[in-house]
């Protein structure tokens, strides 16, 4: 009995020990699991802290970049006259450099690998770096070279700066274009990178060409044609005064000047011109230097001007032709300041009236050869004086850039280049003076004028053009309504100088031809008129790939005449736009497109 009792006690103790050992083994395993969970949460918390910290750091950097870029933008658009262009560019460069530095740290660069958001960060960084490059490696040293004095002309001094910056700008242009190609950019980033892309993308090829245009690789000769808007032609006005400019290694000088009296008349130059142009504008287009601007196609005019000069004035080669009118000259005087020719001060305010009205009260070219020579000499002196200001760098760069850009936009400056690479740079730009050949980007209609009075009456001519588009099914109808108003009384017309009056009718009446170019792919369908003496000339000609309606208005002083030409066509059409003759009094334009 005692033996059994002891055995039961041992078994009970063994069970208790086993249970104790089993319980002791479970407690360390649970503790291990809890320890691993705590470690995981610590890692996650640390990772989140790093991510949040990096996000906060990038956010702080982004605010810095935003502030610096906005400061640079304000300096660029500011009209504060207390700052010189050099000071403005230097300050802008400081802000651009700060923006580039803020967006170019390791954390920012790593974050650029994040899908979607990274594309936006990259675009901001690249835009900042581009502005930094343009301002500090190009703008500031270029202005220092221009303003710093030293040997040679400002353009000679700036050539090494352009040569040094061009490779970096070209590489940066590719980076900007790549960043701008992302489909994930948000609105503000998209707007900013697109603006930078437009600037750097156009600057890169220009920088590659400018040294050559300035004669870095050998002498160049450019023919500068001054248009007279008081005697209207499609591209602006008669090209009666011309200047040949020689460029060599950045040194620029006038090599020759000529007026219409120095050219042979009634003998056509040997330049191939479409028969459609001859049919519209007559042989005067090719056998009178004054009327070379009749067709709204500057390559045609430039080829003719080049041929006239090389035939009648100097046989040497001409590398480019530039046309400019007194309207553009007035803007340029904003940058150079007033000039004095003889006892006449010409400013940005009075340039147009002096050159297109007042000058005809001082000399009468009909009176004698001496009077004609005096008039020609005055125009030549104006051209030479303005040229000296520009060639010597005596101008405000910001104002000059505005003057040139505004004049190109209004059609007051046109350019043609012989070199294929330079020509390719101009292709598609308004400065090339070429009508678009399709309707992809815009549906551009042309309304152009030509004086047929043999006078200088167009200082008093005012114009308005209304364009419209309506649709019926797949067909579009385009209408151009053009009004001309001769804004002078008969009494004042009678008192005009003889040279301003019509060589045919005196002050009794004046005649203007209107050429309406329809959109490519359309057909002329009709015209209507409202006026005393309006007749169609040709409506059956296609020129420059477009249907053309040529109409003639004869106006007495104070009269108004209105013509409407319509065209129809099917297909895809871009937004409606107008290309027109640049007028002394800017044309009033209205455009209505009911097709959406």
């Amino acid at each position: 009995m005692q033996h059994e009792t002891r055995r039961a006690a041992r078994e009970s103790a063994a069970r208790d020990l086993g249970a104790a050992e089993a319980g002791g083994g479970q407690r360390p395993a649970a503790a291990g699991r809890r320890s691993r969970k705590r470690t995981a949460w610590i890692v996650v918390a640390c990772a989140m802290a790093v991510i949040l910290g990096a996000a906060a750091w990038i956010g702080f950097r982004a605010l810095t970049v935003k502030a610096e870029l906005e400061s640079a933008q304000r300096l660029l658009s500011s009209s504060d006259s207390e700052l010189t262009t050099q000071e403005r560019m230097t300050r802008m460069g400081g802000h651009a450099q700060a923006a580039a530095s803020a967006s170019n740290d390791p954390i920012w660069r790593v974050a650029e690998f994040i899908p979607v958001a990274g594309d936006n960060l990259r675009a901001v960084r690249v835009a900042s770096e581009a502005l930094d490059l343009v301002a500090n490696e190009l703008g500031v040293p270029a202005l220092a070279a221009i303003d710093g004095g030293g040997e040679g002309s400002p353009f000679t001094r700036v050539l090494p700066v352009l040569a040094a910056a061009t490779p970096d700008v070209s590489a940066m242009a590719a980076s900007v274009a790549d960043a701008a190609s992302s489909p994930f950019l948000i609105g503000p980033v998209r707007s900013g990178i697109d603006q930078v892309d437009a600037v750097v993308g156009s600057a890169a090829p220009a920088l590659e060409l400018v040294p050559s245009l300035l004669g870095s690789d050998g002498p160049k000769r450019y023919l500068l044609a001054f248009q007279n808007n008081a005697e209207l032609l499609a591209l602006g006005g008669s090209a009666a005064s011309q200047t040949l400019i020689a460029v060599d290694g950045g040194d620029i000088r006038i090599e020759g000047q000529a007026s219409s009296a120095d050219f042979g008349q009634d003998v056509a130059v040997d330049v191939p011109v479409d028969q459609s142009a001859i049919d519209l504008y007559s042989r005067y287009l090719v056998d009178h230097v004054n009327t070379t601007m009749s067709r709204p196609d500057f390559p045609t005019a430039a080829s003719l001007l080049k041929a006239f000069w090389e035939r009648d004035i100097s046989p040497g080669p001409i590398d480019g032709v530039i046309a400019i009118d007194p309207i553009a000259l007035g803007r340029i005087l904003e940058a150079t300041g007033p000039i004095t020719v003889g006892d006449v001060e010409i400013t940005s305010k009075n340039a147009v009236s002096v050159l297109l009205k007042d000058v005809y009260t001082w000399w009468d070219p009909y009176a004698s050869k001496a009077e004609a020579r005096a008039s020609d000499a005055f125009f030549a002196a104006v051209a030479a004086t303005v040229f000296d200001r520009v060639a010597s760098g005596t101008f405000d760069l910001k104002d000059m850039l505005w003057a040139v850009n505004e004049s190109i936009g209004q059609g007051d400056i046109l350019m043609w280049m012989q070199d294929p690479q330079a020509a390719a740079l101009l292709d598609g730009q308004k400065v090339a003076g070429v009508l678009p050949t399709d309707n992809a980007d815009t549906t551009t209609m042309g309304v152009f004028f030509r004086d047929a009075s043999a006078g200088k009456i167009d200082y008093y001519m005012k114009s308005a053009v209304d364009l419209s588009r309506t649709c019926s099914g797949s067909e579009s109808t385009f209408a151009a309504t053009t009004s001309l108003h001769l804004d002078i009384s008969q009494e004042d017309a009678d008192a005009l100088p003889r040279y301003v009056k019509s060589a045919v009718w005196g002050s009794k009446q004046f005649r203007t031809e209107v050429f309406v170019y329809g959109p490519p792919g359309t057909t002329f369908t009709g015209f209507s008129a409202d006026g005393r003496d309006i007749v169609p000339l040709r409506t059956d000609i296609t020129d420059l790939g477009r249907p053309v309606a040529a109409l003639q208005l004869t106006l007495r002083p104070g009269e108004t005449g209105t013509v409407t030409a319509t065209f129809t066509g099917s297909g895809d059409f871009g937004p409606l736009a107008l290309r027109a003759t640049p007028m002394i009094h800017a044309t009033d334009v209205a455009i209505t497109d009911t097709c959406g």
Side-chain angles (χ1 to χ4, degrees):
M1 176 65 76
Q2 291 179 352
H3 175 73
E4 292 177 357
T5 300
R6 285 194 298 270
R7 186 174 62 184
R10 284 196 302 271
E11 290 176 353
S12 176
R15 285 194 299 271
D16 292 341
L17 180 60
E21 288 176 350
Q26 289 174 352
R27 284 194 293 272
R33 285 195 295 271
R34 288 194 293 272
S35 176
R36 286 194 294 273
K37 288 180 181 179
R38 284 195 298 272
T39 301
W41 279 111
I42 291 172
V43 171
V44 170
C46 290
M48 289 297 294
V50 170
I51 292 172
L52 291 174
W57 177 253
I58 292 172
F60 170 73
R61 289 294 204 179
L63 290 174
T64 301
V65 171
K66 180 176 182 291
E68 296 293 349
L69 291 179
E70 287 176 346
S71 296
Q73 174 64 26
R74 283 194 295 271
L75 278 168
L76 186 63
S77 58
S78 170
S79 58
D80 184 0
S81 59
E82 294 183 1
L83 291 176
T84 66
T85 303
Q86 178 79 33
E87 292 169 338
R88 190 187 308 277
M89 182 62 71
T90 300
R91 292 188 185 184
M92 191 181 78
H95 290 297
Q97 185 179 47
S101 176
S103 62
N104 203 9
D105 67 30
I107 296 176
W108 186 296
R109 296 297 288 265
V110 169
E112 290 181 12
F113 290 97
I114 300 173
V116 181
D119 283 12
N120 288 272
L121 293 173
R122 178 169 175 259
V124 170
R125 174 180 59 80
V126 170
S128 302
E129 291 174 345
L131 291 178
D132 180 26
L133 172 64
V134 170
N136 293 306
E137 292 190 31
L138 179 61
V140 171
L143 288 171
I146 292 172
D147 296 337
E151 296 184 0
S153 73
F155 299 102
T156 300
R157 298 194 297 270
V158 82
L159 277 176
V161 177
L162 301 182
T166 295
D168 290 339
V169 173
S170 297
M172 180 57 70
S175 296
V176 171
D178 184 54
S181 68
S182 169
F184 303 115
L185 303 184
I186 61 176
V189 176
R190 165 63 63 197
S191 175
I193 193 69
D194 284 348
Q195 291 181 35
V196 174
D197 188 25
V199 172
V200 180
S202 60
L207 285 174
E208 294 175 0
L209 284 177
V210 165
S212 175
L213 297 178
L214 289 174
S216 63
D217 55 355
K220 299 287 191 304
R221 301 166 89 218
Y222 303 110
L223 185 62
L224 190 60
F226 291 93
Q227 298 194 78
N228 186 331
N229 308 78
E231 186 176 3
L232 284 174
L233 295 172
L235 292 171
S238 62
S241 179
Q242 298 173 35
T243 299
L244 188 67
I245 298 171
V247 181
D248 189 4
D251 286 321
I252 309 174
R253 60 185 176 84
I254 292 178
E255 189 172 286
Q257 291 183 298
S259 68
S260 57
D262 299 313
F263 293 89
Q265 307 288 6
D266 298 317
V267 179
V269 289
D270 186 18
V271 173
V273 176
D274 296 332
Q275 185 59 44
S276 59
I278 303 299
D279 292 340
L280 281 170
Y281 305 107
S282 81
R283 299 294 299 176
Y284 263 70
L285 177 66
V286 296
D287 61 21
H288 284 71
V289 71
N290 290 36
T291 51
T292 50
M293 298 289 182
S294 296
R295 191 190 198 196
D297 183 67
F298 190 59
T300 299
S303 298
L304 293 169
L305 288 167
K306 177 177 180 290
F308 269 110
W309 186 279
E310 291 176 346
R311 186 192 71 182
D312 298 337
I313 308 300
S314 172
I318 291 176
D319 299 286
V321 179
I322 302 168
I324 186 171
D325 64 20
I327 304 170
L329 185 63
R331 297 188 187 104
I332 289 172
L333 290 177
E334 285 275 1
T336 65
I339 61 172
T340 300
V341 178
D343 59 355
V344 179
E345 183 182 57
I346 305 175
T347 71
S348 62
K349 306 298 183 184
N350 71 3
V352 171
S353 61
V354 166
L355 297 174
L356 298 178
K357 180 173 74 73
D358 299 344
V359 68
Y360 301 122
T361 67
W362 303 334
W363 300 285
D364 180 4
Y366 286 154
S368 66
K369 290 184 178 180
E371 290 275 291
R373 284 194 295 269
S375 176
D376 291 342
F378 179 77
F379 283 109
V382 170
T385 305
V386 174
F387 171 83
D388 287 343
R389 290 282 184 92
V390 175
S392 63
T394 311
F395 56 83
D396 181 273
L397 181 60
K398 182 174 182 290
D399 289 342
M400 182 63 76
L401 291 174
W402 168 82
V404 172
N405 285 334
E406 181 71 11
S407 297
I408 289 173
Q410 298 300 321
D412 300 303
I413 293 178
L414 301 168
M415 186 179 297
W416 171 87
M417 289 293 157
Q418 179 79 53
D419 177 73
Q421 189 178 3
L425 180 64
L426 300 179
D427 186 37
Q429 305 297 318
K430 193 169 184 181
V431 71
V434 176
L435 287 169
T437 57
D438 58 40
N439 303 307
D441 295 327
T442 61
T443 299
T444 301
M445 298 182 69
V447 176
F448 305 100
F449 308 121
R450 182 170 73 162
D451 179 87
S453 301
K456 299 291 187 293
I457 193 62
D458 293 310
Y459 183 86
Y460 306 95
M461 189 68 74
K462 293 185 178 179
S463 59
V465 176
D466 290 354
L467 298 185
S468 67
R469 176 191 175 198
T470 57
C471 293
S472 177
S474 62
E475 187 173 75
S476 294
T477 298
F478 300 90
T481 299
T482 304
S483 295
L484 290 177
H485 173 55
L486 189 53
D487 191 19
I488 187 173
S489 68
Q490 185 64 62
E491 181 181 3
D492 288 339
D494 293 340
L496 289 172
R498 180 169 52 165
Y499 199 59
V500 177
K501 297 177 182 179
S502 169
V504 181
W505 304 288
S507 60
K508 180 181 179 182
Q509 64 182 20
F510 300 86
R511 181 165 291 169
T512 303
E513 296 169 349
V514 179
F515 300 87
V516 183
Y517 280 68
T522 63
T523 302
F524 172 76
T525 53
F527 83 97
S528 60
D530 181 9
R532 180 183 56 83
D533 188 356
I534 301 173
V535 297
L537 297 176
R538 296 292 297 266
T539 59
D540 59 340
I541 294 175
T542 297
D543 185 47
L544 301 172
R546 295 164 173 265
V548 183
L551 310 164
Q552 178 180 279
L553 290 77
T554 302
L555 301 176
R556 293 169 181 165
E559 283 189 331
T560 298
T562 301
V563 294
T564 298
T566 58
F567 307 82
T568 60
S570 300
D572 294 328
F573 295 96
L576 199 55
L578 173 69
R579 190 77 62 88
T581 298
M583 303 285 283
I584 297 170
H585 305 284
T587 299
D588 292 330
V589 178
I591 297 177
T592 304
D593 189 343
T594 62
C595 303

